[in-house]
Structure formats: C-alpha cells, structure tokens
Amino acid sequence: MKSVNSCLMLTLFITIICAACLSGCANTDAKILSATESTAAASDNLSTSDSDDSLSPASSAQNTQEYWLDIDAYRDALSDTRVSLTDYRGQYESDAASLTDTEYENLDFSDCTFQTFPETNELSVLAITEPEVTAQEAWNLIEGWVSYADKEDELDLKTDVKVISERLGIKDNGDYYSLYDNLKTLGTLEYGEGAAISTDTAFLQYVGGGINTMSTGEISSYLKNGSKASGDAFGDNASDTVKTGTPEEMADEIYPLIDGTLSVKDGESQIEDFYDSGILFPAWADGVSNMFRSVTVFRLGDVYGYDYSASRTYNGLPFVWKAKTMNYFYGGSYYVSIDETHIYLADSTGIAACYSNYVGSDEMTALLSETDLIRISDIADLLSQTFAGQINASIQTAELVYVQIEEPDTEHEIKYALPCWHFSGTSLRSGEDMEIFADALTGALVSCYGSHD
C-alpha cells in the first residue's frame, strides 16, 4: 500500500476538474491538472507512483467483463494511513470540529456543517450494471404502471408505448416504433434501449430495467393550466414553493393536499410503500434503498403538494446528492454523476409524478471492500498542502458519500462508485460554487468542480 501523498499522484484519480458545466457556465474555466502539473504544485517531499492505470482499461481477465477500472491498481493505491471505520465513527465529530478551528491557507471550514457519519460497516468500490431484461418484461412492467395510473381507457398501449432503440431507429415520419409490435424482434434489450409514453395526460420513461420518470397527470389535470403530464414529472408545476427543509425538520408538518391532509412523515411512508410495490421496477438491488434528503412544500392553487428529493444508499452509505451546480462533472476520462430524484405527492393514495437519473434495480457488485478509511482531517490537510494553488474555498458542507463515475460515451456499460469525502462550498477567489470529491480509501482527488481563477 502507498501513503496518501503517493496516492495523490495517480494520474486519473488526481485529475482536478475546474470545468465548465456541460450546459455551459460562462465564467468557469476548464482545466485538467495532469500528474506532472500536480507534482509541480505539490510539496517537494511528495513521491509519485509508478502506476497511473487505476482508471485505464483493465487486465484481460477483467476485459471479458468489460471492466474499465483496474481494481488491482486501485488496491495497490490504498493508503496506509487509514484508520478503523468502526473506531473513527466515535471520533468523527471531534475530528470534524477540529477543522473549524484550523487555519488553512486555502480552505475555510469555520462555517461548515458536517453531516452525520453514516451507519455503514465497510466502504466498497462498486461496479454498477443494469439488469438484463427482455422487451416483454419491459412491456409487462409498463402495463402494470398503466393500471396503477388508471390510464387503461385513455391509452392505446399498442401504439402509445414507443420503443427507443438504435437497432430500430425511427420511422420516416420521425415517429418512434411501437414497443408492442417489436417485442419478438427486440428480444433482450440492449444497453441504452428503453421505452416511453408521452401524451397530454400520461408520461413515462423506461430505461435500464425500470421506470425512472413518470407522471399520472394528476397535478396538471387539477390545475387545468394547459400543461402536460410531462411537466409534472420535471417539476414545472411545483415551482410555487412555500417551504423547504430536511425530512427530520418537516416530519410533523401537515398541509391540505387534493384529497385531504397528510403529514410529511406519512408522505415518506407512502412513497416507501410505492417504491416497494414493484410498480417502477421489480425490486431494489441488494443493499440499495432511497434516502430522503429534503422536502419542499409547493402550492397547487388552494391546496398543496410535496416534493421529496432523494438519493440512493448502499449498505448505509448515501450516494452524493444534488451538488449545487449540476448532475455531471467531467473528469478527463469519466463523468462524476450526482444522484437526483424528485417524488411528487398530491394526494394520500400514491405518487403523482417522479423523476430520477437512476433506477433502483441497477445491480451493484463490490469489487473491493475495506473497513478502514482516511480521516476527514487528513484529507483536508492534503488538499491544503498539495493543491493550495488550485483549490481555494470556503467549505459549507462536508460528508462521506459514494460518487458514481461513468464514461462519457456508451462503450462500456459498467459504471463505478467510489467512497469519497465530499466538500461543497464557494471559491474564495471568485465566489462561485465549488464541489470537491476526494477518495476516502486512496486519498486521490476524484473531481473538483468550480472556478479556480
């Protein structure tokens, strides 16, 4: 194993991304800090690793599984300064508190909120894959949703359920082909294939073995404002907000919904029952569940609705959720993907709409599991000592999370999740948002998004 400082020299794990967001951030420069540049920026006593292959194509044995993360190289990069995760759980609060009084040249933790240490017994490097499903299985799930949404009389499933497939393409008139007509032709769905329903009163997206986005049209129908069901799924009718808070803060609050009153806490239970029902996907993958992160109350004319924001957890450790700026950060050879789920309640019987950038049935395989980690204070020291010229930030929140990385193209179907310390704050130079992700097992900088002017 290598020291934390040595780990910082791994080329693709050390990549600093002060990149413009994919949708275009006018004042944010793009820069990838190479291993050579980071060595120059580091203190003189930092040694470099001979291996820079942790995120390069893996060994031939792994290539048969299409892995693109070399887990052997990652294992060699594990820090030898880690401490027992179990022991650190009792030390975390005092360790984190010490940072608020530490004066760093380039980091300010004086106003930082340190999130609760997660109830997990190990940290893993996860391979994330979509379950293998057939077109018929997709059809069966969609039929079940149509029944739940009470849309049998509104929809003609043989024509309204469209298939999204490069194999089939689109018709000459620009329309998509019917899923029903191509069940046998498609057989097993390939990576990236899916299905959709998009009418004025119903909206659904099926991808990766489940429904990640849907709307029954209940909200738009109640408002009678001319909007379509798809707008409910993407929050267009939830913008007149009243209050936002954590689930714990809001638990006992009660607002009148379309069919009566419902507490925020009871709404959570309603959502959990819905997700466990198998309507959106057959079942949660082993070890995976939703974690509610915030609740927003919004107006629906003379009544209200609830918008629950959530992320995944794996064996008690949450995935990084809704970083300030966007859902994807570019890391040179990979994206860092941020979990985002919105679940909209408008009555006490089910959910009216939801949007998610993941499917709960995505399978997670632990390629490596460790019961030790690097202290948050040690990570902060390294960020200050090694990247003073590149990172200069006031940190508002810090937490231990999983961070999903994926290739910018679809050549490889496997995504990965790395356990990271996540620091969210603002640049002390430009005032712009900054998001920093440092690997909790190797100490390497996975991604840093923001302004470095």
Side-chain angles (χ1 to χ4, degrees), residues 366-430:
L367 304 181
L368 173 151
S369 295
E370 296 289 322
T371 57
D372 300 330
L373 84 166
I374 304 171
R375 299 178 185 90
I376 191 172
S377 57
D378 289 343
I379 291 290
D381 289 346
L382 286 164
L383 292 176
S384 179
Q385 295 165 10
T386 310
F387 296 104
Q390 292 76 35
I391 297 176
N392 197 297
S394 172
I395 306 300
Q396 273 88 56
T397 61
E399 63 178 338
L400 183 64
V401 294
Y402 277 117
V403 174
Q404 180 174 298
I405 60 173
E406 55 191 80
E407 286 199 321
D409 56 40
T410 58
E411 178 181 350
H412 292 100
E413 301 175 10
I414 296 178
K415 304 169 186 176
Y416 298 94
L418 308 175
C420 291
W421 287 108
H422 172 214
F423 303 95
S424 180
T426 56
S427 169
L428 289 171
R429 293 169 179 163
S430 69

Side-chain angles (χ1 to χ4, degrees), residues 333-373:
S333 64
Y334 54 88
Y335 290 125
V336 172
S337 176
I338 309 302
D339 271 19
E340 184 176 7
T341 288
H342 289 275
I343 306 161
Y344 301 97
L345 287 190
D347 63 32
S348 60
T349 62
I351 70 174
C354 67
Y355 159 80
S356 182
N357 62 355
Y358 57 84
V359 177
S361 56
D362 284 350
E363 297 168 350
M364 299 194 186
T365 302
L367 304 181
L368 173 151
S369 295
E370 296 289 322
T371 57
D372 300 330
L373 84 166

Side-chain angles (χ1 to χ4, degrees), residues 263-309:
S263 73
V264 168
K265 181 63 176 176
D266 288 343
E268 284 186 30
S269 299
Q270 188 168 301
I271 292 170
E272 290 170 347
D273 290 343
F274 177 82
Y275 270 77
D276 290 341
S277 69
I279 293 172
L280 296 184
F281 45 84
W284 287 102
D286 289 345
V288 181
S289 63
N290 255 345
M291 177 180 180
F292 296 107
R293 308 297 290 259
S294 74
V295 183
T296 297
V297 180
F298 59 93
R299 289 187 180 87
L300 290 173
D302 55 352
V303 295
Y304 297 86
Y306 298 147
D307 170 9
Y308 295 81
S309 187

